[in-house]
Amino acid sequence: MSPAVSRDSRSLLAPLVLVPLIVAFALWAFAWPAARTEPRDLPLGVAGPPAATEQVREGLQQREGAFELHEYTNEAQARDAIEDREIYGAVAVTPSGPKLLTASAAGPVVAQTLEQAAAHMAPGGGAVRTDDVVAAPPEDPRGAVLSASVLPMAIAGVAGGALVALMRLRGTRGVGVLLGTAALVGAVGAGIAHSWLGVLTGNWWAEAAAIGLTALAVSATVAGLEALLGTAGIGLGALIAVLLGNPTSGMTSAPEMLPEPLGTLGQLLPPGAGGSLLRSVSFFDGRAADTPVLVLTVWAVLGLVAVTVGGIRRERANPAEETPEPRRVPATPVSAAG
């Protein structure tokens, strides 16, 4: 077989193998978490005297592995823990019966799950009294818009990083463009989600910074991988941000509702960390934002360093390309005197 025929065979075989693999990976990443969504060590509080809450604890512990119980002496402490994002909700034992505290802003699906889990606690088979401590905004009561915002942030980051890579922007120029693009993405995102749609209700500048940092983490990663690996780095960056990061972000439910290790992995990737950060600054006054900020900063810094290193390597490998030779001006012939 001639080398030309062998190359043609490989080029035909590549899509036949790669496309099914990509589809299988996408179905695994998106369908598996959706089909296995249920609480797994979901932080839940129990408030009241130990003797009074014993029956509540026993009832919740019957769902083995579903809840990670935190005990509080009174309802006020449980409310503070919910507002600090230490727990998703709590069951407070009061003289008039159990009372469920939820936070639909932390995840409407989680709030519904807690209501279902506490349904059997109501005296006489009635409904459990529920108090939404941190409610989702009226414009987005089911959290659908906030959940849907993760994918556009990831796509914006991939697009920005790919453009910087394809335009061969390296070094300080590449870093400057990535930073400027991220800042503009943050402003546009906050302008749409906060100022227009009203689905974000926190500090406008903090929300813009959260969206911009998320976009920067993705775009810097894509551009950095391209600087180190070539064109294949763009595909790898897109795979990390979109095909893996988006479905494992936990924004449609909660990280503790996803099968492990996807719940933990998702919070270590830019979309999951960015979604958690945006939720914190929008509804919880920035509480529990330190870990997402750290994760996004690490991704952004590593990507920007890779872009800078790629620029240095390119300058050393092609010095003539970076420093063009001065243009030669042809000499003007001097005419002889008549």
Side-chain angles (χ1 to χ4, degrees):
M1 182 180 296
S2 66
V5 173
S6 179
R7 285 195 298 270
D8 291 342
S9 300
R10 287 197 297 268
S11 64
L12 292 174
L13 185 62
L16 295 176
V17 175
L18 290 178
V19 173
L21 286 177
I22 293 174
V23 171
F25 181 84
L27 286 174
W28 169 81
F30 281 86
W32 182 40
R36 298 292 186 269
T37 299
E38 62 181 9
R40 296 172 175 82
D41 291 328
L42 188 74
L44 177 65
V46 177
T53 59
E54 181 178 358
Q55 184 176 359
V56 173
R57 291 196 303 271
E58 290 178 355
L60 294 173
Q61 288 172 348
Q62 288 180 358
R63 298 183 62 175
E64 186 176 355
F67 302 110
E68 178 186 279
L69 298 182
H70 299 247
E71 297 186 10
Y72 303 94
T73 57
N74 53 54
E75 180 180 336
Q77 288 185 355
R79 286 177 175 272
D80 291 341
I82 292 173
E83 293 173 351
D84 290 338
R85 300 204 70 185
E86 296 175 1
I87 56 177
Y88 284 92
V91 178
V93 178
T94 67
S96 57
K99 179 180 182 181
L100 178 63
L101 306 177
T102 63
S104 58
V109 172
V110 177
Q112 295 172 6
T113 300
L114 296 181
E115 291 175 4
Q116 294 170 1
H120 69 281
M121 301 180 187
V128 178
R129 292 182 301 151
T130 303
D131 187 359
D132 200 348
V133 178
V134 186
E139 291 78 4
D140 190 23
R142 292 185 294 273
V145 180
L146 181 63
S147 301
S149 65
V150 175
L151 182 58
M153 287 192 295
I155 293 176
V158 172
L163 287 174
V164 168
L166 294 176
M167 293 175 65
R168 295 292 185 263
L169 298 176
R170 299 286 190 271
T172 56
R173 290 189 303 165
V175 170
V177 171
L178 289 171
L179 292 173
T181 302
L184 293 174
V185 168
V188 171
I192 294 175
H194 182 117
S195 305
W196 178 35
L197 298 178
V199 298
L200 302 181
T201 58
N203 179 274
W204 193 95
W205 293 103
E207 294 163 355
I211 297 173
L213 181 58
T214 304
L216 177 62
V218 177
S219 62
T221 298
V222 171
L225 287 173
E226 192 278 338
L228 298 177
L229 305 178
T231 307
I234 299 177
L236 178 59
L239 184 147
I240 293 173
V242 178
L243 288 184
L244 184 59
N246 183 60
T248 62
S249 66
M251 287 298 291
T252 57
S253 55
E256 294 85 358
M257 299 282 286
L258 300 178
E260 288 296 343
L262 295 186
T264 301
L265 174 63
Q267 295 305 297
L268 297 177
L269 298 177
S276 296
L277 176 59
L278 187 59
R279 196 187 291 277
S280 289
V281 300
S282 299
F283 310 125
F284 294 90
D285 294 328
R287 296 181 178 94
D290 48 352
T291 299
V293 168
L294 176 61
V295 171
L296 293 172
T297 301
V298 169
W299 280 98
V301 170
L302 291 177
L304 294 176
V305 168
V307 171
T308 304
V309 171
I312 296 174
R313 290 170 54 185
R314 184 183 178 190
E315 290 179 0
R316 291 178 177 176
N318 304 295
E321 181 180 340
E322 299 295 331
T323 309
E325 294 182 0
R327 182 179 178 184
R328 296 182 179 180
V329 180
T332 303
V334 180
S335 59

